[in-house]
């Protein structure tokens, strides 16, 4: 009887571990690439590659949606950066993706000008990459619910850095415990909420919300600041001093962006 109980307990623990592992696997993995460009010629070459070669190839190789965003005209880095958001179902899918592209003959043909660009005429200055994992309470990305013209929209990409790993984890907990719900209630139509696995500004979380225009965006933040739930959460001791730096990017989606 004692051995039976021990075996049953062992099976129960094993099931819990397997269940926990499966839940973790259900959180999307995101690659966020930032292309730094220095000229209209580079921007044109990059746009052509992304629209005609990369995104179609991503679709063929298991990535349903790719987001491409640029700084709005009022931003100091307008015309200098292009953001590419690529969601994957797992780390294994992310790791296999590049190899699939290199075997895709249509991609290699359609992307030839970019892939085989001359050393003295590169399509960008450099690329930054961050690898992210969807938060537990928002594990999957979602296309924006907005229906107005893409050129009028404001997509807000934020990075919150924590002064320590412990305080960073508390900020992640704050998002999972109610902060995301406020954005949803206010109609901010989030694309993703994520923890950074690898990147230049760790420890940090990142998220993207969407707004019909700048006026609506400003009104959303005004409402957020006086929201009773937010006021309640910000005054809880465990959530204080969790952000040491807020990096905000105001972007718009390209016409060929899936998101």
């Amino acid at each position: 009887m004692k051995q039976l109980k021990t075996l049953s307990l062992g099976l129960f623990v094993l099931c819990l571990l397997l269940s926990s592992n499966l839940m973790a696997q259900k959180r999307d993995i995101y690659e966020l690439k930032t292309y730094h460009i220095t000229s209209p010629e580079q921007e044109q070459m990059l746009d052509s590659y992304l629209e005609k070669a990369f995104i179609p190839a991503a679709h063929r190789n298991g990535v349903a949606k790719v987001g491409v965003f640029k700084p709005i005209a009022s931003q100091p880095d307008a015309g200098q950066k292009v953001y590419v958001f690529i969601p994957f179902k797992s780390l294994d899918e992310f790791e296999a993706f590049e190899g699939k592209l290199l075997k895709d003959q249509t991609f290699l043909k359609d992307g030839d000008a970019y892939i085989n660009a001359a050393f003295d005429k590169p399509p960008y200055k450099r690329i930054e990459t961050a690898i992210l994992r969807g938060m537990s309470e928002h594990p999957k990305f979602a296309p924006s619910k907005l229906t107005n013209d893409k050129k009028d929209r404001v997509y807000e990409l934020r990075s919150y850095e924590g002064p320590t790993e412990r305080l960073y984890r508390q900020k992640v907990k704050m998002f999972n415990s109610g902060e995301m719900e406020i954005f949803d209630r206010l109609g901010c139509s989030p694309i993703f909420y994520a923890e950074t696995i690898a990147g230049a500004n760790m420890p940090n979380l990142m998220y993207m919300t969407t707004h019909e225009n700048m006026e609506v965006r400003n009104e959303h933040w005004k409402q957020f600041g006086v929201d009773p739930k937010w006021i309640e959460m910000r005054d809880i001791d465990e959530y204080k001093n969790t952000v040491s730096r807020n990096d905000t990017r105001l972007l718009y989606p390209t016409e060929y962006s899936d998101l």
Side-chain angles (χ1 to χ4, degrees):
M1 180 64 71
K2 184 176 181 181
Q3 289 180 334
L4 183 60
K5 287 183 177 179
T6 302
L7 180 61
S8 298
L9 179 61
L11 288 172
F12 176 71
V13 172
L14 178 60
C15 288
L16 281 179
L17 290 173
L18 288 173
S19 176
S20 176
N21 186 50
L22 286 172
M23 287 298 291
Q25 291 177 356
K26 290 180 180 178
R27 294 164 64 182
D28 281 345
I29 296 297
Y30 308 130
E31 181 179 18
L32 182 63
K33 302 176 76 170
T34 305
Y35 288 86
H36 293 251
I37 55 177
T38 59
S39 68
E41 290 75 22
Q42 285 188 333
E43 184 174 10
Q44 183 178 4
M45 183 183 295
L46 186 55
D47 276 330
S48 179
Y49 163 72
L50 292 171
E51 179 180 9
K52 299 174 182 178
F54 181 79
I55 292 179
H59 294 167
R60 288 194 299 273
N61 288 282
V63 178
K65 303 284 186 180
V66 176
V68 182
F69 314 99
K70 299 179 181 182
I72 64 175
S74 63
Q75 296 296 285
D77 56 355
Q80 299 175 28
K81 293 178 183 175
V82 177
Y83 296 83
V84 180
F85 174 76
I86 313 166
F88 299 95
K89 296 181 179 67
S90 67
L91 277 172
D92 287 342
E93 188 177 283
F94 160 71
E95 291 174 352
F97 182 64
E98 184 176 3
K100 291 180 178 179
L101 290 185
L102 294 178
K103 294 178 182 178
D104 186 326
Q105 295 303 312
T106 302
F107 165 73
L108 297 176
K109 178 182 177 182
D110 294 343
D112 179 71
Y114 170 96
I115 296 167
N116 295 306
F119 78 93
D120 56 349
K121 291 184 179 180
Y124 51 80
K125 181 180 180 181
R126 68 173 183 275
I127 304 173
E128 293 178 32
T129 298
I131 305 301
L132 318 170
R133 178 184 285 117
M135 288 190 184
S136 61
E137 296 304 309
H138 198 285
K140 303 289 184 182
F141 81 99
S144 175
K145 297 177 182 177
L146 302 183
T147 58
N148 64 318
D149 289 344
K150 287 183 177 181
K151 62 180 178 61
D152 297 325
R153 300 179 194 175
V154 175
Y155 282 43
E156 186 159 0
L157 175 66
R158 287 197 172 207
S159 168
Y160 290 166
E161 297 176 33
T164 68
E165 287 99 328
R166 180 184 68 82
L167 290 169
Y168 155 74
R169 287 191 292 270
Q170 289 303 110
K171 187 59 179 176
V172 172
K173 180 182 177 182
M174 189 177 185
F175 266 81
N176 283 321
S177 299
E179 191 166 350
M180 288 185 287
E181 294 175 6
I182 303 173
F183 287 116
D184 289 340
R185 178 158 37 81
L186 295 178
C188 295
S189 191
I191 300 292
F192 72 90
Y193 297 96
E195 302 174 49
T196 303
I197 299 174
N201 301 307
M202 296 177 70
N204 71 307
L205 63 84
M206 299 186 75
Y207 68 99
M208 177 180 279
T209 54
T210 63
H211 317 270
E212 284 85 349
N213 52 51
M214 185 60 73
E215 183 179 355
V216 172
R217 178 261 179 189
N218 293 340
E219 181 61 26
H220 280 157
W221 277 110
K222 181 179 178 181
Q223 293 174 2
F224 186 94
V226 297
D227 188 271
K229 179 64 175 179
W230 166 247
I231 293 173
E232 175 189 341
M233 294 188 75
R234 76 180 184 190
D235 291 334
I236 298 175
D237 285 341
E238 67 173 314
Y239 296 147
K240 291 181 178 179
N241 304 309
T242 55
V243 177
S244 57
R245 182 170 180 262
N246 170 5
D247 184 23
T248 299
R249 305 288 173 172
L250 300 179
L251 314 171
Y252 70 92
T254 64
E255 283 299 322
Y256 59 85
S257 174
D258 293 327
L259 299 172

